[in-house]
């Protein structure tokens, strides 16, 4: 199976709060799990990515948590800011081929 | 480094017409991808090139879509004839082999009326 399921579809968070977006995948052959941020009128931009040999990766306010046995991974945005308001996509794929399967996206709104 | 360049930014055509999109990848990126992003959905891979050869075109509707990457640099994606359901943003991305440096362009928004 090639699907990547993402939730929630939309999220509203107060400034300073924690935003959490979840994804689940089916294909155990996937070995690369990136998160992309997309602003209106722009292409997706790589935010942070993880490989399945680690359970967590942190870059600034952004953290990926990865659960290989459950085939799930999540994005945590700490101290959310209005500038973080965007659509976020998880993806899964092969680090060798570069092919990515994207989730449906989560629209995040951070209220001042 | 310069990003992935795409043109045009917007295109409106009538159904059954043809349309072409152009992509110039980041210099040195051997792998080029075309994605289709329908409003409210995640991008879906249409075709992947490695240099000027096709790696994966399993999701490309070959009865109406075609793509080429002559000389392993620029690429064009063509739709002929277009259908209403082809309305979407067409994203081009490029990377070094193995996916390193994966970068998307800003896309071409196609509206078929």
């Amino acid at each position: 199976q090639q699907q990547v399921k993402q939730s929630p579809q939309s999220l509203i968070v107060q400034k300073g709060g924690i935003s959490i977006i979840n994804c689940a995948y089916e294909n155990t052959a996937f070995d690369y799990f990136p998160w992309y941020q997309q602003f209106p009128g722009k292409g997706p931009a790589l935010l942070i990515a993880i490989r399945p040999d680690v359970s967590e990766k942190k870059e600034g306010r952004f953290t990926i948590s990865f659960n290989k046995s459950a085939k799930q991974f999540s994005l945590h945005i700490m101290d959310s800011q209005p500038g973080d308001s965007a659509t976020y996509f998880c993806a899964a794929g092969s680090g060798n081929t570069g092919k990515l399967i994207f989730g449906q996206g989560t629209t995040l709104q951070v209220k001042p | 480094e310069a990003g992935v360049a795409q043109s045009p930014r917007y295109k409106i055509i009538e159904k059954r017409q043809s349309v072409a999109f152009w992509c110039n990848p980041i210099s040195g990126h051997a792998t080029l991808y075309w994605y289709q992003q329908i409003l409210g959905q995640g991008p879906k891979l249409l075709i992947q090139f490695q240099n000027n050869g096709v790696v994966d075109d399993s999701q490309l509707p070959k009865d109406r879509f075609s793509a080429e990457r002559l000389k392993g640099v620029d690429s064009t994606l063509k739709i002929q004839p277009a259908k209403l359901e082809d309305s979407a943003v067409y994203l081009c991305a490029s990377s070094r082999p193995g996916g390193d440096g994966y970068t998307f362009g800003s896309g071409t928004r196609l509206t078929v009326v």
Side-chain angles (χ1 to χ4, degrees):
Chain A
Q1 283 288 352
Q2 296 290 322
Q3 280 191 320
V4 176
K5 295 181 180 179
Q6 182 173 344
S7 63
Q9 190 172 5
S10 63
L11 183 61
I12 299 175
V13 173
Q14 291 294 127
K15 178 182 176 181
I18 301 173
S19 304
I20 302 174
I21 306 170
N22 301 297
C23 279
Y25 63 99
E26 299 172 342
N27 189 338
T28 55
F30 290 150
D31 63 0
Y32 178 64
F33 303 90
W35 284 90
Y36 284 84
Q37 179 187 57
Q38 186 175 32
F39 293 104
K42 299 292 186 182
L46 179 65
L47 198 58
I48 186 172
I50 197 168
R51 305 252 179 203
D53 52 343
V54 296
S55 59
E56 186 175 282
K57 182 174 181 179
K58 182 176 181 180
E59 289 183 0
R61 297 185 294 110
F62 301 93
T63 300
I64 298 180
S65 297
F66 184 79
N67 185 329
K68 188 174 180 179
S69 61
K71 292 187 285 186
Q72 295 175 347
F73 58 110
S74 60
L75 175 69
H76 292 62
I77 306 175
M78 311 300 288
D79 187 26
S80 298
Q81 299 296 313
D84 296 331
S85 297
T87 300
Y88 292 81
F89 292 95
C90 64
S94 166
N96 288 331
T97 67
K99 178 180 177 179
L100 295 176
I101 308 297
F102 282 80
Q104 294 289 86
T106 297
T107 301
L108 170 66
Q109 182 184 358
V110 181
K111 290 193 169 182
Chain B
E1 66 183 357
V4 176
Q6 289 189 246
S7 67
R9 285 301 313 274
Y10 306 93
K11 191 74 177 178
I12 300 174
I13 63 171
E14 295 183 348
K15 58 183 179 183
R16 291 187 290 274
Q17 285 188 325
S18 63
V19 64
F21 314 125
W22 173 83
C23 173
N24 181 240
I26 291 174
S27 178
H29 280 192
T31 309
L32 185 146
Y33 316 79
W34 282 102
Y35 283 84
Q36 180 192 57
Q37 186 175 22
I38 293 172
L39 186 64
Q41 298 183 19
K44 183 184 83 171
L45 181 69
L46 292 175
I47 189 167
Q48 177 182 349
F49 292 94
Q50 179 77 18
N51 296 308
N52 61 347
V54 175
V55 174
D56 185 344
D57 64 356
S58 57
Q59 298 294 304
L60 188 73
K62 298 180 187 66
D63 57 334
R64 298 184 301 106
F65 286 64
S66 64
E68 60 181 10
R69 190 183 184 197
L70 300 176
K71 301 181 182 179
V73 182
D74 294 7
S75 177
T76 55
L77 176 69
K78 297 178 181 177
I79 308 175
Q80 182 179 13
K83 293 184 175 182
L84 295 176
E85 59 260 37
D86 299 331
S87 294
V89 174
Y90 290 84
L91 293 162
C92 180
S94 70
S95 74
R96 286 182 281 275
D100 186 29
Y102 213 118
T103 305
F104 282 88
S106 293
T108 295
R109 179 176 296 278
L110 173 67
T111 302
V112 182
V113 298

